[in-house]
Amino acid sequence: MGTDQALLYIVATPIGNLADMVPRAIEVLQCADLVAAEDTRHSQRLFAHFAIDTPLVAYHDHSDDKRTGQLLQKLEEGQTIALISDAGTPLISDPGYRLVREARNRGVRVVPIPGACAFVAALSAAGLPSDRFSFEGFLPAKAGAREKALRELAGDPRTLVFYEAPHRVADTLEAMAVAFGGDREAVIARELTKAFETMYLAPLDELTAWVRADSNQQRGEIVLLVRGAERRRDSALDGEAERVMKLLLAELPPRRAAALASEITGANKKALYNWSLEQK
């Protein structure tokens, strides 16, 4: 498939069920000169299933500039390269950005081959608003950084979409309940397209308890979706409520400050809390 026109294909692969592989993707992988894969051993099963014998080379998050340079040189020589990740659409929380960016800078034609994407599949079936959403990928692994990231998203009115590791999912749901409120609706979408596919919609407090009670829900590939914050309909805080909140926020976290300010001023606790988030 080598041509004078350099081509870099970005090829989506199944997230579980191999029957979801699109015919065009099979053809591209069979005909390319080289396939750059996140994990060449993982990709061997896909190649064996579809009788693909194209040479594989590793390209992942830890690939250095030398490997990127080697791929770019092959492209400039007119070879066709296909980029795949372990599953789903490359560059969606997967490696590839550096290669795609530099290829474009060098005049290489970059061609997407659409297919499976875990967060899109989850969003389509979650039962949460999908007209506006924000894909946040993986939250920070450390608790403090994760909680800070969630606090910053608490007032976002869009549906929030996350990927999460199985061993962290219960703690993350608990942190979401604290940051967003335990009554905020959320969905866990687990092992999509696979034998043990699960989608469960519930308020965050209930969802957290359900996941903690069943270790099976803490396994596999996981997408978390959270309904966005309700748009504020309450009237603006009066000057006294704002003054009290400013004093309390100097010493207390927003949720505790809002609770105390509500007792002191009689203002709505949720309105106080939302106001505190807007001040950041």
Side-chain angles (χ1 to χ4, degrees):
M1 205 174 186
T3 68
D4 293 334
Q5 169 65 58
L7 283 172
L8 173 61
Y9 286 102
I10 311 302
V11 182
T13 55
I15 57 177
N17 192 323
L18 292 178
D20 292 334
M21 187 75 165
V22 300
R24 187 180 175 210
I26 299 170
E27 181 183 356
V28 166
L29 294 181
Q30 288 173 335
C31 297
D33 297 303
L34 184 69
V35 175
E38 185 177 359
D39 184 334
T40 56
R41 292 170 300 179
H42 180 91
S43 297
Q44 287 292 352
R45 175 172 170 257
L46 180 77
F47 275 41
H49 185 83
F50 291 107
I52 300 167
D53 58 7
T54 306
L56 276 164
V57 63
Y59 186 82
H60 46 71
D61 276 336
H62 304 294
S63 294
D64 55 21
D65 291 338
K66 182 179 179 182
R67 174 53 54 84
T68 303
Q70 290 170 343
L71 294 176
L72 290 166
Q73 182 177 347
K74 290 180 182 297
L75 287 167
E76 291 183 330
E77 291 170 355
Q79 292 193 36
T80 293
I81 296 178
L83 176 70
I84 62 175
S85 62
D86 283 350
T89 302
L91 276 76
I92 308 299
S93 279
D94 284 322
Y97 166 76
R98 284 188 301 152
L99 179 62
V100 169
R101 179 71 179 186
E102 190 56 35
R104 284 198 165 279
N105 287 342
R106 298 190 185 195
V108 173
R109 185 180 170 208
V110 181
V111 180
I113 309 297
C117 178
F119 95 77
V120 174
L123 184 63
S124 72
L128 296 178
S130 57
D131 55 331
R132 296 184 67 218
F133 62 89
S134 177
F135 175 64
E136 299 294 327
F138 284 92
L139 287 162
K142 293 186 177 179
R146 178 177 60 215
E147 290 161 9
K148 179 176 183 294
L150 290 172
R151 284 198 302 271
E152 291 173 352
L153 292 168
D156 195 320
R158 299 170 294 179
T159 294
L160 302 172
V161 187
F162 306 87
Y163 287 161
E164 190 50 281
H167 66 281
R168 288 198 299 264
V169 65
D171 289 342
T172 293
L173 286 169
E174 192 168 277
M176 286 176 171
V178 172
F180 302 153
D183 58 348
R184 182 88 71 92
E185 276 190 330
V187 172
I188 182 171
R190 192 181 66 85
E191 292 289 85
L192 293 176
T193 80
K194 301 175 187 175
F196 297 103
E197 176 179 287
T198 303
M199 294 194 75
Y200 192 87
L201 167 67
L204 275 164
D205 277 344
E206 180 184 329
L207 186 60
T208 302
W210 185 76
V211 168
R212 284 206 183 279
D214 184 355
S215 62
N216 287 324
Q217 305 310 324
Q218 301 172 45
R219 298 176 182 175
E221 303 292 328
I222 295 170
V223 185
L224 298 176
L225 307 96
V226 184
R227 180 184 282 273
E230 290 184 13
R231 294 187 181 278
R232 286 185 55 188
R233 295 174 182 168
D234 45 271
S235 58
L237 300 182
D238 61 31
E240 177 63 11
E242 288 190 10
R243 187 186 72 82
V244 171
M245 277 296 290
K246 286 176 181 176
L247 291 171
L248 292 173
L249 285 170
E251 304 293 336
L252 299 171
R255 195 170 295 279
R256 181 61 179 152
L260 287 177
S262 179
E263 292 181 14
I264 294 168
T265 67
N268 180 274
K269 181 167 66 174
K270 187 172 183 180
L272 290 162
Y273 179 70
N274 287 337
W275 180 87
S276 73
L277 297 178
E278 292 171 0
Q279 307 311 302
K280 297 190 176 191

